[in-house]
Amino acid sequence: MASARVAKARRYGSAKRDSASFQDDDESRSLDYKLEDLEILSTIGTGTFGRVVLVRETGTKQYRALKVMAITQVIRLKQVEHIKNEKEILATVSHPFIVNMLWCYKDETFLYMLMEYVSGGELFSYLRNMGRFNNITSNFYACEIVCALDYLHARNIVYRDLKPENLLLDTQGHLKITDFGFAKKVMDRTWTLCGTPEYLAPEIILSKGHNKAVDWWSLGVLIFEMLVGYPPFYADNPFGIYEKILAGKIEWPKHIDLVAKDLIKKLLVQDRTRRLGNMKNGAEDVMRHKWFKGVDWEEVITKKLQPPIVPKLSHDGDTSNFESYEEGDWRKTPPASEKEIEQFLDF
């Protein structure tokens, strides 16, 4: 059994998976940026229809991350609504544990979203390098995620893509959730199938309609993955993963903390009406669980707790915690047609 788990962990670790108001940077959000005032330095991430580039403001010399998306590609890949949702949601939120948007813009070729630059890199990289986190480290990150989910859910926003690849570390080592491409404002239920296979809640797979309960399921998967080194439901293909999720059987390693195990079990409840976080007291039920005993939630939200991992950085614009990417000739992307640009009139 142990050797099977090791093989599973190695196979999983070889590649990434596809996939109250807090004002954190309020002064920057009020500034009116101009594209010509942003010096493009290097690419720090790529996707199917765009990339994220590190930029420096010519005036303040501050570093930011600029998400650049080709209009023609967004339309071709049927991502128009997702991008609009992302922009609209990020325009209304500001939180210490979210990568906040500072400005958005479009021209005849690209859509632009200017974000905070979070230089510590992905939690995924640290987890892959360390194999697994100990109980204290996992608890620290879970606390910050719970605060962010509580904030989003209070605004009827479902995040829907919680995973280590979408969690960045800032210069001090605190978490920031990034990539709101699957986020959506949901008053009752929604039926869109989206997310990362290993993290999908049963109700998404079964097309029963889903709500904020899916984020608490994902938190259970994430806590398991941080403590064990691989997710609880894993197979070589999505169909195999879905079968395991619906069967709900988990192999529990002997080293896992019993109190953490109890929390994970209560988050990975198939019936969403009985899932911790989705009952009458919402996030408060999660915060009161004994795995979080002794946590001062006010200290969590004000970043007073000492992070377990502090990224190594030589300066504010250091990109060493991100992979290197070919620059290519992405700036020569052909412009979109007037009809295509019309789809983003309100961007």
Side-chain angles (χ1 to χ4, degrees):
M1 195 72 76
S3 61
R5 284 200 297 269
V6 170
K8 194 185 288 182
R10 283 179 182 156
R11 192 164 65 243
Y12 161 71
S14 64
K16 293 183 192 179
R17 286 156 300 211
D18 298 328
S19 73
S21 180
F22 301 95
Q23 299 301 321
D24 204 31
D25 200 0
D26 202 38
E27 192 176 329
S28 297
R29 286 169 74 96
S30 65
L31 295 175
D32 186 16
Y33 291 87
K34 290 180 181 175
L35 206 54
E36 55 267 32
D37 295 335
L38 302 172
E39 178 191 358
I40 295 175
L41 302 175
S42 62
T43 298
I44 53 175
T46 59
T48 49
F49 48 82
R51 62 183 55 221
V52 179
V53 294
L54 178 69
V55 299
R56 183 169 48 206
E57 294 179 34
T58 53
T60 64
K61 303 300 180 187
Q62 282 188 296
Y63 293 93
R64 306 293 188 195
L66 184 66
K67 191 170 181 176
V68 185
M69 298 160 284
I71 293 172
T72 53
Q73 284 292 85
V74 170
I75 293 170
R76 188 178 69 81
L77 294 168
K78 298 180 170 61
Q79 295 298 308
V80 175
E81 288 311 309
H82 277 158
I83 298 303
K84 285 183 176 180
N85 278 341
E86 181 176 16
K87 176 252 178 182
E88 286 167 14
I89 285 169
L90 287 173
T92 64
V93 301
S94 181
H95 191 273
F97 304 136
I98 290 174
V99 180
N100 296 302
M101 184 177 75
L102 310 173
W103 174 73
C104 60
Y105 179 70
K106 71 172 181 299
D107 57 23
E108 59 183 11
T109 307
F110 297 111
L111 305 171
Y112 303 92
M113 291 165 64
L114 187 66
M115 319 291 290
E116 298 171 307
Y117 175 50
V118 186
S119 55
E122 298 172 1
L123 188 70
F124 179 88
S125 302
Y126 296 93
L127 182 56
R128 183 175 53 186
N129 291 337
M130 295 172 74
R132 66 175 189 246
F133 295 151
N134 62 29
N135 206 46
I136 294 169
T137 300
S138 302
N139 185 282
F140 174 87
Y141 295 133
C143 285
E144 297 194 337
I145 293 163
V146 167
C147 287
L149 291 181
D150 185 29
Y151 170 85
L152 292 171
H153 291 174
R155 285 148 185 79
N156 297 308
I157 296 166
V158 186
Y159 176 62
R160 300 198 294 185
D161 205 17
L162 190 62
K163 57 181 177 179
E165 293 93 324
N166 285 344
L167 301 169
L168 303 179
L169 297 191
D170 67 14
T171 52
Q172 286 83 40
H174 292 283
L175 276 187
K176 277 187 173 282
I177 299 177
T178 190
D179 197 345
F180 275 65
F182 287 150
K184 188 175 184 180
K185 196 149 192 173
V186 178
M187 303 307 290
D188 179 27
R189 279 185 291 173
T190 184
W191 279 263
T192 317
L193 173 61
C194 64
T196 299
E198 291 92 339
Y199 277 75
L200 290 185
E203 59 266 31
I204 297 180
I205 297 167
L206 295 170
S207 299
K208 286 185 170 181
H210 60 272
N211 58 15
K212 60 189 76 167
V214 301
D215 287 339
W216 296 116
W217 174 279
S218 296
L219 177 64
V221 176
L222 180 69
I223 294 172
F224 183 100
E225 184 173 341
M226 288 194 291
L227 290 168
V228 178
Y230 53 85
F233 309 107
Y234 189 73
D236 290 328
N237 59 75
F239 184 75
I241 294 169
Y242 300 155
E243 281 188 322
K244 290 187 176 183
I245 290 170
L246 297 178
K249 290 181 181 176
I250 300 172
E251 292 179 20
W252 296 94
K254 289 180 181 176
H255 69 77
I256 200 164
D257 177 82
L258 292 178
V259 182
K261 181 178 177 180
D262 181 76
L263 172 60
I264 294 167
K265 279 184 169 181
K266 287 174 177 169
L267 291 168
L268 298 182
V269 170
Q270 299 269 333
D271 181 352
R272 67 177 185 196
T273 64
R274 298 183 180 184
R275 191 176 301 155
L276 203 68
N278 194 48
M279 294 184 285
K280 192 174 78 169
N281 297 318
E284 205 172 308
D285 285 335
V286 179
M287 293 174 174
R288 285 177 177 169
H289 188 274
K290 51 192 173 182
W291 195 52
F292 296 116
K293 186 179 179 182
V295 170
D296 183 329
W297 291 96
E298 184 61 33
E299 289 197 342
V300 174
I301 199 67
T302 52
K303 294 185 175 180
K304 288 181 181 171
L305 300 184
Q306 179 59 43
I309 299 170
V310 179
K312 293 175 182 176
L313 297 161
S314 59
H315 66 288
D316 288 347
D318 191 341
T319 60
S320 60
N321 290 303
F322 293 95
E323 293 177 25
S324 296
Y325 295 89
E326 294 276 339
E327 292 302 323
D329 55 358
W330 62 270
R331 295 192 221 191
K332 294 179 182 176
T333 300
S337 67
E338 279 187 37
K339 191 174 181 181
E340 287 172 324
I341 296 170
E342 275 177 16
Q343 294 190 48
F344 296 96
L345 282 177
D346 55 348
F347 195 90

